[in-house]
Every structure is written in structure tokens, then in C-alpha cells.
């Protein structure tokens, strides 16, 4: 019996995009397909795309000696809550990386990352836990990225940018480079809307949209 059970936590769009990447990487290491399952606390179906779907409790109850999970849920806040649940259960994380990801020099990425196809991380980069870099996104040189940060497809993070925990960078957004010693900062929990062109710091918790990006004005505010 293979003694490790691997779980992709989340069987919605994000998880279904991550599963094939995990399956091909694990198959190359000799892991049997049935040792890779979805975890979903409200399963809509017992099997999704050929993989069994287990609740977290059912996953925990499986007999394999070691269990590892990749959190495939877009919300960084939800990922943090689930990471705490994994820690409490003594379950570790694994990362998933597409075969064509390019990683250059001196790049450190924390546990549980998801690096989708065509992602590039260039040089001298630090990234925290449970980072998601969706299709075609990139991180340029000298960036520092916190924990539970999410990049939508084709998000462009240029050099000398610091992105704090839980920030969400929408699809196609472009963030202007900072300078050595004076990075451009995306604050904790900030959201950059899809297609935004960010030219200056974004304060914590603020949503910006447009070109140049400005705080989203909601009707009635
Ligand atoms: C910015 C964002 C977070 C706002 O979401 P929201 O709070 O649900 O906002 P709404 O959809 O209610 O839109 C509010 C207003 O902002 C506008 N708006 C929303 N997103 C915008 C964007 N990216 N750029 C410009 N305007 C935008 C809407 O047109 C709307 O304008 P109105 O009030 O004049 O009608 C969201 O639209 C977004 O861009 N999310 C990222 C999506 C993404 O990248 N997904 C990747 C999936 S893998």
C-alpha cells in the first residue's frame, strides 16, 4: 500500500484546475492515482473528474500513515483558516507546480504554493505560505510577498514590490515596479481589480480598479 494520501482541498474551479497538475507530478513520482483525492466539506458528488471526493473528516480517517494537503481555494482568508485546521490535525502541506513554470535565481517560496502553467518567478524573491500564482502570472526581481497571497491569471508583479499577507491581485492587473530601498507596497488584505494598472502604494484592505488604479467607489458611498 502507498503510505501517503494526497488531498486537493476544494473541488470547485480552482481545485479542478490544480488537480491535473498534481496528478501528473505525483504520477511521475510513482504515486498511484487513487492516492490523490479532493477534499470538500460539502461534496456535490462522490467523484469529480475521476478523483474521489472526501470530507475533511473522512480524509483524516483514512488509514494511510502520512497525509498531505494542497489548499486550492482562491480566498486567502479561507486558506489561512484551513491551514490552521491542518496544523491542528498534524497534517502537512504539499505544493503543486506546473512543469513549465520558470524559476530563476535565489527564489524562496513557502509551503503549499500553487504555481500554475506559464508562471515565471525571476530572481531574488521571497514568497510566504500558501501562495497562488494563476496561469501566466509573474513575479519579477526583488519582490517580497507575504502569506496567503493570490494572483489571478496574468497578474503582473514587476520588480521591487512588496505584497503583504492576504492581498489579492486580479486577472491581468499590472503593478508598477518600486525602487531598491523604496518598494511599491500592496497592503495587507488589499484587492487589485482585474485589469488595474497600479502606479502607487495600495493601503491595507483597500480595493483599487482602473488605469491608473484608484480606490473602488461604491454607489451610495
Ligand atoms: C474589483 C472587484 C474585486 C470588485 O468586485 P465587487 O466588489 O464584487 O464589485 P462589483 O462587481 O459589485 O462592481 C462594483 C463596481 O465596480 C466596477 N468594477 C468592478 N470590477 C472592476 C474592475 N476590475 N475595473 C473597473 N471597474 C470595476 C463595476 O463595474 C461596478 O461599477 P458600477 O457600480 O458603476 O456598476 C472585482 O470586480 C475584480 O476585479 N475581481 C478580480 C476578478 C479576477 O481577477 N478573477 C480571477 C479568477 S481566477
Amino acid at each position: 500500500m502507498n503510505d501517503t494520501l494526497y488531498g486537493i482541498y476544494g473541488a470547485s474551479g480552482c481545485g479542478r484546475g490544480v488537480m491535473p497538475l498534481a496528478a501528473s507530478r505525483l504520477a511521475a513520482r510513482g504515486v498511484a492515482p487513487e492516492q490523490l483525492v479532493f477534499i470538500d466539506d460539502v461534496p456535490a458528488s462522490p467523484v469529480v473528474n475521476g478523483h474521489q471526493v472526501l470530507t475533511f473528516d473522512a480524509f483524516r480517517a483514512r488509514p494511510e500513515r502520512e497525509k498531505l494537503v494542497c489548499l486550492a481555494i482562491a480566498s486567502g482568508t479561507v486558506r489561512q483558516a484551513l491551514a490552521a485546521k491542518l496544523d491542528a490535525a498534524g497534517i502537512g502541506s504539499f505544493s503543486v507546480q506546473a512543469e513549465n513554470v520558470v524559476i530563476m535565481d535565489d527564489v524562496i517560496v513557502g509551503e503549499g504554493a500553487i504555481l500554475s502553467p506559464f508562471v515565471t518567478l525571476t530572481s531574488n524573491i521571497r514568497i510566504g505560505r500558501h501562495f497562488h500564482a494563476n496561469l501566466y502570472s509573474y513575479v519579477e526581481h526583488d519582490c517580497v510577498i507575504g502569506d496567503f497571497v493570490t494572483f489571478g491569471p496574468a497578474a503582473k508583479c514587476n520588480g521591487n514590490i512588496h505584497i503583504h499577507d492576504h492581498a489579492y491581485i486580479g486577472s491581468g492587473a499590472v503593478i508598477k515596479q518600486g525602487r531598491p530601498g523604496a518598494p511599491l507596497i500592496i497592503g495587507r488584505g488589499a484587492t487589485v481589480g482585474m485589469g488595474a494598472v497600479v502606479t502607487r502604494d495600495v493601503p491595507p484592505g483597500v480595493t483599487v480598479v482602473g488605469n491608473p488604479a484608484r480606490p473602488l467607489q461604491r454607489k451610495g458611498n
Side-chain angles (χ1 to χ4, degrees):
M1 186 184 84
N2 191 323
D3 230 12
T4 304
L5 181 65
Y6 295 86
I8 300 296
Y9 210 131
S12 62
C14 178
R16 282 181 281 119
V18 171
M19 179 58 92
L21 305 177
S24 77
R25 294 306 280 253
L26 291 174
R29 286 166 36 195
V31 176
E34 59 273 17
Q35 294 304 118
L36 176 60
V37 301
F38 283 111
I39 304 170
D40 195 313
D41 291 319
V42 192
S45 162
V47 176
V48 168
N49 293 350
H51 293 271
Q52 201 179 357
V53 185
L54 302 178
T55 63
F56 184 64
D57 289 340
F59 181 83
R60 283 183 73 181
R62 283 273 298 246
E64 285 82 356
R65 189 180 49 82
E66 183 184 36
K67 299 188 182 74
L68 295 173
V69 170
C70 180
L71 300 175
I73 288 171
S75 162
T77 310
V78 173
R79 289 206 298 283
Q80 182 169 30
L82 293 176
K85 191 158 108 169
L86 296 181
D87 287 347
I91 294 175
S93 298
F94 72 103
S95 295
V96 174
Q97 180 179 325
E99 282 178 27
N100 67 359
V101 166
V102 176
I103 298 180
M104 299 184 185
D105 287 333
D106 187 27
V107 175
I108 297 176
V109 183
E111 63 172 339
I114 296 174
L115 305 179
S116 295
F118 305 101
V119 163
T120 299
L121 311 176
T122 70
S123 298
N124 308 98
I125 292 165
R126 299 289 176 267
I127 298 176
R129 305 170 67 209
H130 297 283
F131 175 56
H132 280 196
N134 219 310
L135 307 165
Y136 290 98
S137 58
Y138 70 74
V139 181
E140 257 285 9
H141 62 90
D142 300 300
C143 287
V144 179
I145 294 178
D147 296 331
F148 308 104
V149 169
T150 309
F151 279 24
K156 297 171 180 63
C157 175
N158 290 298
N160 288 299
I161 291 167
H162 288 192
I163 301 182
H164 295 177
D165 297 352
H166 295 287
Y168 183 95
I169 314 301
S171 182
V174 186
I175 309 173
K176 184 183 180 184
Q177 78 279 358
R179 284 178 286 116
L184 187 148
I185 293 173
I186 308 293
R188 180 185 169 89
T191 299
V192 175
M194 53 191 168
V197 176
V198 178
T199 57
R200 56 175 75 161
D201 292 356
V202 177
V206 168
T207 296
V208 295
V209 297
N211 178 7
R214 296 280 183 260
L216 177 60
Q217 301 295 331
R218 296 188 186 276
K219 284 182 178 142
N221 288 352

